[in-house]
Amino acid sequence: MTTRVIIVDDQAMVRAGFAALLAAQSDIDVVGDAPDGVQGVALSRRTHPDVVLMDVRMPEMDGLEAARQLLDPPIGVTHRPKVLMLTTFDVDDYVYEALRAGASGFLLKDAPPADLISAVRVVAAGEALLAPSVTRRLIADFARQRPAPRKDRASLRLNGLTPRETEVLELIARGLSNQEIADALILAEQTVKTHIGRVLAKLELRDRAQAVIFAYESGLVAPGER
């Protein structure tokens, strides 16, 4: 099955380079590109891509607002692509807010070509692109800078999880992969995937990225904990 991709970035060289690299893959089809968020949203509405590579900082409309519009579309618009944010290493609150809005993860612009190709495939498959080490550093840093966790509604939602599901959510937030969670809890990896699916459904979360955010914001995991 071919993954349809569009690239939204204000740098023409970045768009051209990414497009050439991805188009060379037999399972990826680049169906368009745009130089800003406004045109990116319009392009996505026309072409219905599976994955949108979205730059964080752009003129007219930044990547955060564009991601919000794509992931929370107006009534009558049913298409919701996966959104992968493109950023530099000096990440800021934009990336955090994009994950909260439902983006499936982020990719550094200077990542090796193989990482870009892999990222598109991972996100297209419905997984969040959150490398364990980066997850722990990035989300903990943002959580440390933000107000105290929201205990009310978040706590009520946590109460709907079984003890095992709560354990799984905590380990997701600590940056463990499915196999690492399986090893830690002495479970089969498929069982872990089932638990993750139930956690996402009960908490009404889009994917693993939002689960990490929720775990920090609800107070289940505190910044700096291991």
Side-chain angles (χ1 to χ4, degrees), residues 3-5 22 27-28 51 53 84 107 115-125 129:
T3 298
R4 294 165 58 83
V5 177
L22 293 173
D27 60 334
I28 299 175
V51 177
L53 293 178
L84 180 60
L107 181 72
D115 286 2
L116 171 64
I117 297 166
S118 174
V120 170
R121 290 171 176 157
V122 166
V123 169
L129 189 73

Side-chain angles (χ1 to χ4, degrees), residues 170-186:
E170 181 178 348
L171 294 177
I172 290 173
R174 296 189 191 286
L176 273 66
S177 66
N178 288 355
Q179 186 58 61
E180 289 169 336
I181 294 173
D183 293 342
L185 299 180
I186 315 179

Side-chain angles (χ1 to χ4, degrees), residues 27-208:
D27 60 334
I28 299 175
D29 185 13
V30 179
V31 296
D33 64 81
D36 59 59
V38 173
Q39 295 184 55
V41 170
L43 178 63
S44 179
R45 298 274 197 260
R46 292 196 308 271
T47 60
H48 291 185
D50 300 301
V51 177
V52 176
L53 293 178
M54 182 77 73
D55 188 19
V56 172
R57 296 183 178 277
M58 293 180 291
E60 301 299 329
M61 178 190 292
D62 63 29
L64 173 57
E65 179 57 30
R68 284 176 176 152
Q69 292 194 18
L70 291 178
L71 296 168
D72 186 20
I75 295 174
V77 177
T78 59
H79 178 252
R80 291 206 315 170
K82 301 291 194 308
V83 176
L84 180 60
M85 305 302 296
L86 300 172
T87 184
T88 54
F89 187 72
D90 51 334
V91 293
D92 56 23
D93 228 25
Y94 277 95
V95 176
Y96 180 89
E97 294 298 338
L99 294 176
R100 289 190 64 198
S104 294
F106 62 93
L107 181 72
L108 302 181
K109 282 190 175 182
D110 60 355
D115 286 2
L116 171 64
I117 297 166
S118 174
V120 170
R121 290 171 176 157
V122 166
V123 169
E127 295 291 328
L129 189 73
L130 292 173
S133 60
V134 177
T135 298
R136 286 190 286 266
R137 182 175 65 248
L138 175 70
I139 305 300
D141 283 349
F142 283 136
R144 190 177 295 114
Q145 298 169 19
R146 302 183 74 82
R150 303 191 304 265
K151 299 287 188 179
D152 44 10
R153 288 186 59 192
S155 293
L156 289 175
R157 291 167 70 187
L158 275 176
N159 289 341
L161 301 182
T162 66
R164 178 63 82 191
E165 289 165 353
T166 302
E167 284 182 304
V168 170
L169 175 59
E170 181 178 348
L171 294 177
I172 290 173
R174 296 189 191 286
L176 273 66
S177 66
N178 288 355
Q179 186 58 61
E180 289 169 336
I181 294 173
D183 293 342
L185 299 180
I186 315 179
L187 297 172
E189 186 174 0
Q190 185 57 50
T191 302
V192 171
K193 291 180 180 179
T194 298
H195 283 310
I196 292 174
R198 289 173 179 165
V199 167
L200 297 180
K202 287 184 177 181
L203 298 179
E204 299 180 345
L205 302 173
R206 179 181 171 94
D207 56 26
R208 198 185 193 99

